[in-house]
Amino acid sequence: MKEFDDFNFSVDKYTKELTRECVGGSDLQQRKKEIEAYNETTAATLKQTCKKNYMEFIQTAKEISHLESEMYQLSHILIEQRNILGTMTDGKTSSHLKADSVEAESSAAADDVENSHATRAVKEMVQGFNGNLEGKTFLNEGALIELDGNDYRPIQRVFFFLFNDVLIVCKVKHDKRLDFLTEYDPKKIAVINIKDLDGVKNAINIITPDGSKIYQSITAAGKTEWIEKLEEAFRFDQQKKPKKGQAPQPPTRAKQQSKAATPEKETAPQSPGEPKSLEDETPEWLSTASEEIQTLVAQRHFEDAQELIKRSQEFMRTESRKKVPQAGIIEGKVKQQELKLINVLLKELSNSHNRNLQIALRAAKRPLKILVEMGRYRQASATLLKVCAVSLRVAQREARRNNADISELFFCDLTQVACDFLTAFEQQPACVSALVVWCNAELQYFASQLIKHYLTKGTSLEAVAKCVERVRKPSTKLTEIGLDISYHLEGLLRTTLESLIEESKERLLDSVGRTEESWQPYNLQTKSNLKRLFLELDVLGIDVRAQATGDTWMNLTQSTVVFIRHFLQLTEYCGCLAKCETLLQSLELLLKELFIAQHSLKPPSDMAVDPNFVMKNKIFLVDNLLPIAIDKFRQISGRQCEGLRELHTKMSRQQGAPLPRQRSVYTTDVF
């Protein structure tokens, strides 16, 4: 079929060459079937390639979206740092402080009025909300549209009420009434800006403890406002801290005189025996470690969060722990954040399953690596194997739907999973047992699907042999990584294969002798038919040219010629199946009984036939066919067929000389 791939392929030229090569309509039909099969294979390959490219495009788009969100977060951090530096360098006079205090009081009064109105509106408008909103600061409200995370399809209309420590999400009903859905803590969510696409604009991604959700605003200004307000709610406590303390007052003249009178008392150095304050010994990064870890997890900076946890734990194991008065509280908070990070990583790992196994393994590398470094080997290995099981079974289902070879796909995927698993848990030999148990379970599922779809009742021995051979060859690839499952696979298929062999034996024995035999030499009608028969039998390993007489005749019966072809083909199939020692006895019995049944055929007593011709057919079967079948079976299976060898020895001894032809004797009564 390489001609079709040529750039200069010509249909007319190929058709002429095809009609010149083929003899008769049967050859043309065979070539037609081959071309149709090649067309189907090409179409399936093209479909799989398009699907693979599409999945890679989606993965690339997701990675670009993640990069854009990280850049947006980075810009927000830079703006925040710039504002902090500007605040630190900005000197404020006493008059400014007084003006600010007056303005703060007036704004606080206005905020209280707005908060009371917002609290009353939530209680009146939202059905099903029983939370307490007293003492909370109202920040924003508005309507949004929730989108599907896969195809950005609108799901429902929602309405947000944002306070300083709670985000209330409501569903907008058809009658414009609000139904309470859920609430979130703004400090436990992260907001990611989504770049405008062709079909989606003004969308934001909010990462909550329940998962990632996408919401769309009506306008770009509304989207920007929501991002700013959610960021404001996230940092609300940090912004309010400086306003809680009393504003610093300018020093009075009396204080200045008292300080001038006692300069020695203030500037006197601290005596060596005086103990220092324990609060001064707590590092600043350690006191805020718990909040920083929570922020890093919300922003999906898992590596940084894990590094900060590790740093905190190492500090707590040193002698410096004694100088930290709240060491136990800080350690408990860090431990709690570590457990939250582990749960997030396990959820991230479990959500990494994909129709394509390569994409699933690539997505699982990041959370898997962090979990291994954190010592969560068993949880990580169990979750990874569950993800791989889903991808494997989905791939097999699609392969069956596309009429592709599931055996090669299954064992290649199994090998890839085993290699990646052993690489990830190279330092943990105890996890290998989990891999072995998982391989056993997946092999059982694969064998059950094989029996259900390909080794059903009534399947021919040819189809059974090809199916088993396609399974055995790729299964040996796992031995390269030290995982031999061939014996276990043979055990799973043994019962089904034995029943199919027994069923085929009964069917073949019933077919022997059913066709009416004339016990005359076989006439093939044309020289081309005789030549084609010689070529077919040459491929099977037997030469019958010595039995040809004339231009179109064979000195054997038609049933004998058909049996020779069929028996040698059957020997090849049995040889393939006999590579497993457990099936050897059943296959030997099948070949032996089939040969005996053909050899035992006799012409009817009322049929006038030449006994020498009948004996010649039987002698050809014993002396020519049987040794070739024994040798072919040994070459394919690598084992001796003892049943056929004993049969050959026994029949060679029983074979006698040809019987003399009966002659009619003339008799008369005349003397």
Side-chain angles (χ1 to χ4, degrees):
M1 298 299 173
K2 295 182 180 179
E3 297 89 351
F4 296 107
D5 299 331
D6 190 2
F7 182 78
N8 297 322
F9 175 77
S10 175
V11 178
D12 296 335
K13 183 178 179 181
Y14 179 81
T15 306
K16 291 179 181 178
E17 292 178 357
L18 187 64
T19 53
R20 191 183 304 112
E21 292 174 359
C22 297
V23 179
S26 59
D27 282 359
L28 286 173
Q29 291 291 337
Q30 182 66 25
R31 297 298 292 272
K32 178 184 177 183
K33 291 180 180 179
E34 292 176 0
I35 294 172
E36 290 176 349
Y38 181 76
N39 181 28
E40 294 176 357
T41 305
T42 305
T45 305
L46 183 60
K47 186 187 299 182
Q48 293 176 358
T49 305
C50 292
K51 185 175 182 180
K52 180 180 179 182
N53 293 338
Y54 180 70
M55 297 303 297
E56 291 179 354
F57 173 77
I58 293 176
Q59 185 66 22
T60 305
K62 289 182 179 179
E63 292 177 357
I64 292 173
S65 178
H66 287 315
L67 291 175
E68 289 177 350
S69 65
E70 292 175 359
M71 291 298 295
Y72 178 81
Q73 294 174 7
L74 183 60
S75 66
H76 267 269
I77 293 173
L78 292 175
I79 293 172
E80 181 186 356
Q81 295 295 330
R82 185 186 63 187
N83 294 336
I84 293 174
L85 292 174
T87 304
M88 292 174 62
T89 57
D90 186 19
K92 294 186 178 180
T93 62
S94 59
S95 59
H96 290 157
L97 292 173
K98 291 181 179 180
D100 290 342
S101 62
V102 173
E103 184 180 355
E105 291 176 358
S106 60
S107 62
D111 290 343
D112 292 339
V113 175
E114 186 179 4
N115 294 337
S116 62
H117 285 303
T119 302
R120 192 181 307 110
V122 171
K123 291 182 178 180
E124 293 176 356
M125 297 172 59
V126 181
Q127 297 179 356
F129 179 72
N130 299 321
N132 185 15
L133 299 177
E134 297 296 333
K136 301 184 186 298
T137 303
F138 175 75
L139 297 179
N140 197 15
E141 67 177 359
L144 297 169
I145 300 174
E146 184 177 357
L147 304 180
D148 187 84
N150 296 323
D151 53 6
Y152 299 105
R153 166 178 59 85
I155 298 178
Q156 61 183 352
R157 294 176 59 195
V158 296
F159 199 91
F160 281 6
F161 291 97
L162 178 61
F163 292 82
N164 62 319
D165 59 353
V166 64
L167 173 63
I168 302 173
V169 182
C170 308
K171 178 182 178 181
V172 181
K173 294 184 176 181
H174 297 290
D175 55 358
K176 306 299 182 182
R177 304 185 69 179
L178 301 180
D179 191 7
F180 174 72
L181 290 179
T182 184
E183 60 178 325
Y184 300 109
D185 187 352
K187 299 176 184 58
K188 296 183 180 180
I189 64 176
V191 185
I192 299 175
N193 182 24
I194 298 179
K195 185 179 179 180
D196 292 347
L197 303 176
D198 293 338
V200 181
K201 294 184 179 181
N202 306 327
I204 57 175
N205 186 6
I206 300 180
I207 301 175
T208 68
D210 301 336
S212 177
K213 297 184 179 181
I214 298 176
Y215 297 98
Q216 184 182 25
S217 177
I218 300 176
T219 62
K223 168 186 172 181
T224 305
E225 182 182 5
W226 272 113
I227 293 175
E228 293 175 353
K229 291 297 183 180
L230 288 169
E231 290 289 340
E232 180 182 349
F234 181 79
R235 306 188 183 278
F236 186 81
D237 293 338
Q238 300 177 7
Q239 295 172 359
K240 293 295 182 182
K241 280 181 181 179
K243 297 182 180 180
K244 290 182 179 179
Q246 185 179 2
Q249 300 295 330
T252 61
R253 183 175 299 177
K255 291 183 178 179
Q256 291 177 358
Q257 292 176 357
S258 63
K259 289 182 180 179
T262 58
E264 297 179 356
K265 192 173 183 179
E266 291 185 357
T267 59
Q270 189 175 6
S271 61
E274 185 178 355
K276 295 182 180 180
S277 177
L278 293 177
E279 295 181 358
D280 297 337
E281 299 295 330
T282 304
E284 184 179 356
W285 65 267
L286 184 62
S287 59
T288 60
S290 176
E291 292 77 7
E292 187 66 23
I293 293 170
Q294 185 177 3
T295 304
L296 291 172
V297 172
Q299 294 176 350
R300 299 178 59 83
H301 300 317
F302 303 134
E303 293 85 357
D304 297 338
Q306 188 260 341
E307 188 65 27
L308 185 55
I309 291 172
K310 184 178 179 182
R311 182 184 176 188
S312 302
Q313 292 174 346
E314 290 177 352
F315 181 86
M316 290 299 177
R317 287 194 291 266
T318 61
E319 295 295 332
S320 302
R321 173 190 173 94
K322 299 178 181 179
K323 301 178 182 180
V324 180
Q326 296 182 346
I329 298 176
I330 295 175
E331 187 176 10
K333 290 182 178 179
V334 171
K335 185 65 177 177
Q336 186 179 6
Q337 294 301 325
E338 182 185 10
L339 295 176
K340 289 183 179 180
L341 175 60
I342 291 172
N343 292 333
V344 171
L345 290 172
L346 289 174
K347 189 173 183 180
E348 188 82 8
L349 184 60
S350 62
N351 291 336
S352 61
H353 59 80
N354 194 285
R355 294 176 179 269
N356 192 321
L357 181 65
Q358 288 80 5
I359 296 177
L361 291 174
R362 196 182 309 128
K365 279 185 178 180
R366 184 190 179 196
L368 182 64
K369 181 181 177 182
I370 302 174
L371 286 170
V372 170
E373 291 177 354
M374 297 180 71
R376 301 289 175 165
Y377 306 106
R378 296 186 180 276
Q379 293 173 299
S381 61
T383 307
L384 175 64
L385 293 177
K386 288 180 182 178
V387 170
C388 294
V390 173
S391 299
L392 252 69
R393 297 184 182 187
V394 170
Q396 291 179 56
R397 216 163 24 242
E398 290 185 354
R400 286 197 304 269
R401 196 177 294 119
N402 297 330
N403 294 325
D405 186 7
I406 65 169
S407 303
E408 186 76 22
L409 175 66
F410 171 75
F411 287 105
C412 287
D413 289 348
L414 201 67
T415 305
Q416 185 175 1
V417 172
C419 290
D420 288 4
F421 186 91
L422 295 175
T423 302
F425 300 96
E426 185 177 3
Q427 305 299 330
Q428 297 296 323
C431 295
V432 178
S433 59
L435 176 64
V436 174
V437 173
W438 178 81
C439 288
N440 182 26
E442 290 306 307
L443 196 64
Q444 290 180 357
Y445 176 80
F446 172 72
S448 65
Q449 296 300 307
L450 206 64
I451 294 171
K452 180 180 179 181
H453 296 282
Y454 298 95
L455 300 178
T456 56
K457 187 177 180 181
T459 306
S460 64
L461 202 62
E462 177 185 3
V464 172
K466 290 181 179 180
C467 178
V468 172
E469 190 67 16
R470 284 197 300 266
V471 171
R472 283 174 177 166
K473 285 184 178 180
S475 66
T476 56
K477 292 182 179 180
L478 289 173
T479 57
E480 299 175 0
I481 59 174
L483 192 62
D484 189 2
I485 60 173
S486 301
Y487 182 77
H488 185 49
L489 179 62
E490 298 288 354
L492 292 173
L493 298 178
R494 177 182 176 182
T495 304
T496 303
L497 293 178
E498 286 181 345
S499 63
L500 290 174
I501 291 171
E502 185 66 25
E503 181 185 346
S504 298
K505 184 180 73 173
E506 295 176 358
R507 187 168 58 250
L508 291 171
L509 291 176
D510 290 342
S511 65
V512 174
R514 283 196 172 186
T515 57
E516 185 176 351
E517 179 60 65
S518 61
W519 293 98
Q520 298 295 329
Y522 182 25
N523 184 11
L524 283 91
Q525 306 298 332
T526 63
K527 292 182 180 180
S528 61
N529 291 340
L530 182 63
K531 184 178 179 181
R532 188 180 297 108
L533 176 64
F534 289 157
L535 294 176
E536 290 178 1
L537 296 179
D538 286 342
V539 172
L540 295 174
I542 187 171
D543 186 7
V544 295
R545 288 180 175 81
Q547 304 299 324
T549 57
D551 293 336
T552 61
W553 290 86
M554 286 285 295
N555 204 14
L556 296 172
T557 64
Q558 182 177 356
S559 64
T560 301
V561 174
V562 172
F563 179 77
I564 290 170
R565 183 194 296 112
H566 188 202
F567 190 75
L568 290 177
Q569 291 175 348
L570 196 64
T571 303
E572 291 182 357
Y573 308 147
C574 292
C576 292
L577 294 173
K579 293 178 181 179
C580 175
E581 189 176 0
T582 56
L583 302 175
L584 182 61
Q585 186 176 358
S586 301
L587 295 168
E588 287 182 357
L589 187 62
L590 184 152
L591 293 174
K592 181 179 178 180
E593 292 187 3
L594 184 63
F595 187 87
I596 292 174
Q598 178 67 25
H599 188 271
S600 303
L601 290 179
K602 295 180 180 179
S605 57
D606 56 348
M607 181 181 292
V609 296
D610 185 2
N612 288 331
F613 182 71
V614 175
M615 183 61 66
K616 184 175 182 179
N617 281 267
K618 295 185 177 183
I619 292 174
F620 184 85
L621 293 177
V622 176
D623 293 346
N624 295 83
L625 177 61
L626 203 53
I628 293 174
I630 293 172
D631 187 61
K632 181 183 286 291
F633 188 91
R634 180 186 58 79
Q635 290 178 359
I636 297 175
S637 66
R639 306 176 188 276
Q640 291 290 349
C641 187
E642 297 296 337
L644 292 183
R645 292 180 64 183
E646 293 175 359
L647 182 64
H648 179 255
T649 304
K650 181 180 178 181
M651 287 188 170
S652 298
R653 294 174 181 175
Q654 293 178 355
Q655 230 167 229
L659 298 175
R661 185 174 182 178
Q662 296 181 0
R663 297 182 180 181
S664 58
V665 181
Y666 175 75
T667 57
T668 181
D669 295 336
V670 179
F671 294 99

